[in-house]
Amino acid sequence: GAVVSQHPSWVICKSGTSVKIECRSLDFQATTMFWYRQFPKQSLMLMATSNEGSKATYEQGVEKDKFLINHASLTLSTLTVTSAHPEDSSFYICSARRTGGTEAFFGQGTRLTVV
Amino acid sequence: AQSVTQLDSHVSVSEGTPVLLRCNYSSSYSPSLFWYVQHPNKGLQLLLKYTSAATLVKGINGFEAEFKKSETSFHLTKPSAHMSDAAEYFCVVRTAYGGATNKLIFGTGTLLAVQP
């Protein structure tokens, strides 16, 4: 099956610093990747759709300057949380869709804690 | 616009008894529907999907779901619960914008507890 790997699995950072989360499709090429945010005991909320070689499409209410997305290759998308604050603490999950496919495969998630 | 409603936030069953997790959908188009499972602090695993083929869809780990257009439902069932089934379950609909812009819309989730 298709494997999507996120790194790191968890990270603690100081308020005001930036954190980068990587999402890699290990055994397939993904033209499109998605970034989600999940608060405790809540559902996944789509933050943005990342397309290789072009700008990401952000959902309404998501600050693009706060959550920088880069999808420079067909196997890697990164999410950078800039100037993180405690309210950014959350579980971030990415998914990747195989080029030409319809199913999305999910990473294991990244637990971000901002102190 | 597409949406899904999971009718129960928590479901508790005894091991060996049937599981029923309810989901209703709203869609202007013939929807693509999915059930995902999430174990604590883990990513999501696809259990099964409906994409306008057979209305009774069989998935992994003994789960199945039936697409009922007349009831706009896609309930998830399993004949006999196992302790390892305890997890959060999400009903998901895929938007029908077409091509690369398709998105997944998640329900609010149902937490399944399995009692010994």
Side-chain angles (χ1 to χ4, degrees), chain B residues 83-98:
Chain B
M83 296 296 290
S84 61
D85 294 328
E88 185 95 30
Y89 291 80
F90 293 98
C91 182
V92 180
V93 64
R94 184 166 64 207
T95 63
Y97 301 149

Side-chain angles (χ1 to χ4, degrees), chain A residues 8-111:
Chain A
S9 298
W10 59 271
V11 57
I12 302 173
C13 71
K14 291 184 178 181
S15 186
T17 62
S18 295
V19 175
K20 180 184 286 188
I21 303 170
E22 294 185 346
C23 179
R24 293 182 183 273
S25 55
L26 297 185
D27 51 0
F28 66 99
Q29 292 185 332
T31 305
T32 305
M33 292 186 176
F34 304 87
W35 287 96
Y36 296 84
R37 184 173 181 176
Q38 185 180 30
F39 289 103
K41 302 186 185 303
Q42 294 189 28
S43 188
L44 280 74
M45 300 300 296
L46 180 65
M47 298 175 66
T49 302
S50 166
N51 294 295
E52 186 267 337
S54 63
K55 290 183 179 180
T57 303
Y58 289 81
E59 295 300 300
Q60 191 173 12
V62 178
E63 300 175 59
K64 61 180 181 181
D65 295 328
K66 171 78 172 175
F67 299 99
L68 300 179
I69 292 173
N70 183 277
H71 192 160
S73 79
L74 286 171
T75 59
L76 174 65
S77 176
T78 61
L79 168 68
T80 301
V81 182
T82 63
S83 186
H85 287 91
E87 57 265 30
D88 298 324
S89 299
S90 190
F91 195 54
Y92 293 86
I93 302 177
C94 75
S95 73
R97 186 163 61 207
R98 192 192 303 269
T99 301
T102 56
E103 183 176 345
F105 302 93
F106 286 80
Q108 76 275 26
T110 297
R111 172 75 58 194

